[in-house]
Amino acid sequence: MEPPRKRLRGKQPSEVSCPDRPSGLSFGPLQRVDAALKELETAGFGRKRPVMDLGCAYHDFSKGLLRIQLDLMDFPEVLALIDRSMKSMHCRHGGLEGLNVIARHYEGPAQQERLVFHADNFVVADRVFGCILRQDGKNPNLTLHFREHQGAGYVRMKEIRGHLYLQKGEARHFWSHGIPAGGEGVRQSLTWRWLRPSFIRWCQMENELHRKQQAKWLLRFTSAGEFLGIDHE
């Protein structure tokens, strides 16, 4: 007879989030992450391999390079964690096509930003999910921070193992996120999001050498921007 499974105890999502969080940043129930983390570590994830890209990943948007680094089907526990997390937040799973998963490992003090403050590229769909696999940070710097693009807004996300979060809307487009310098300990996280179908098709056309169709898309895109008064960068 199997022993009874332990229930997740401790802090609820609201207690591990952050005050005055950006609109569009929300939190889900704590997740069981042990099996997924063990699966990643078996594949080499950790100090010697601090970043792992699973599934569909983009290399260079300007060149339309799309690649599969590690097959998601080889990581059933990671897929199970993603599925449970999506269901717990009542979010529709977008399927495996275009799904990009990134495991990141941060360890020890750092002189520079561990994760440069940024907003995810527009080739990514609106929703970006994250789950904390391990959080042994010795001070608040080893957590995700959010910085308002135009304004003085700055918030730090409190994190514990299993913490689940979702960025969309304003949190995605009007705030940048990153992990500042300093901080001691270990932080491991899993991020997943979907690439936009239009970008996947763009890459397919690049591979098929449909350059004329790409040129038409670019012309329509820039013409629409000019009509709306958006300057070229």
Side-chain angles (χ1 to χ4, degrees):
M1 182 176 180
E2 293 184 2
R5 296 180 66 182
K6 293 182 179 180
R7 293 183 179 180
L8 288 173
R9 299 178 181 275
K11 301 178 180 179
Q12 296 300 310
S14 60
E15 297 179 73
V16 295
S17 57
C18 55
D20 303 321
R21 63 179 183 264
S23 175
L25 176 63
S26 57
F27 306 97
L30 298 179
Q31 299 296 307
R32 297 182 182 277
V33 300
D34 295 27
L37 179 56
K38 183 177 180 180
E39 187 174 68
L40 290 166
E41 289 175 338
T42 300
F45 177 60
R47 181 185 299 175
K48 294 184 178 180
R49 192 176 185 181
V51 180
M52 286 179 62
D53 264 312
L54 285 64
C56 193
Y58 63 92
H59 226 13
D60 189 329
F61 172 72
S62 63
K63 296 180 181 178
L65 297 179
L66 197 63
R67 59 183 170 81
I68 301 293
Q69 178 172 336
L70 294 171
D71 192 341
L72 274 169
M73 298 306 293
D74 293 334
F75 296 86
E77 294 295 344
V78 171
L79 288 175
L81 172 58
I82 292 173
D83 186 55
R84 289 195 307 270
S85 299
M86 301 287 290
K87 289 179 179 177
S88 73
M89 297 193 77
H90 307 288
C91 293
R92 184 182 65 83
H93 195 296
L96 295 183
E97 184 177 7
L99 176 58
N100 170 233
V101 182
I102 306 174
R104 293 184 183 274
H105 172 99
Y106 307 89
E107 184 173 352
Q111 300 298 320
Q112 299 178 333
E113 292 177 348
R114 296 168 181 269
L115 179 63
V116 176
F117 278 83
H118 68 286
D120 288 324
N121 197 300
F122 68 89
V123 305
V124 175
D126 188 53
R127 301 180 305 170
V128 176
F129 298 84
C131 187
I132 303 302
L133 302 175
R134 179 179 174 183
Q135 176 51 271
D136 300 331
K138 301 290 192 298
N139 64 46
N141 274 9
L142 198 60
T143 63
L144 199 62
H145 293 231
F146 291 83
R147 179 188 295 162
E148 194 174 14
H149 288 173
Q150 296 180 347
Y154 191 96
V155 296
R156 175 181 62 83
M157 191 167 73
K158 298 178 182 178
E159 300 174 350
I160 63 173
R161 185 183 182 92
H163 179 40
L164 174 65
Y165 55 95
L166 163 63
Q167 301 175 60
K168 64 180 182 179
E170 289 188 18
R172 272 282 320 278
H173 305 295
F174 296 98
W175 292 68
S176 58
H177 59 277
I179 299 178
E184 296 184 24
V186 176
R187 178 189 191 267
Q188 294 176 324
S189 64
L190 191 73
T191 302
W192 66 94
R193 64 269 181 97
W194 278 265
L195 303 182
R196 294 186 183 276
S198 55
F199 174 66
I200 295 175
R201 180 56 186 148
W202 172 275
C203 296
Q204 290 171 344
M205 287 194 301
E206 179 72 20
N207 293 334
E208 297 164 4
L209 300 179
H210 290 176
R211 303 292 170 79
K212 290 184 178 180
Q213 184 64 34
Q214 286 184 321
K216 289 181 180 179
W217 279 20
L218 282 175
L219 180 60
R220 291 172 184 169
F221 181 79
T222 55
S223 297
E226 290 173 352
F227 178 78
L228 295 172
I230 301 174
D231 295 330
H232 292 199
E233 292 185 358

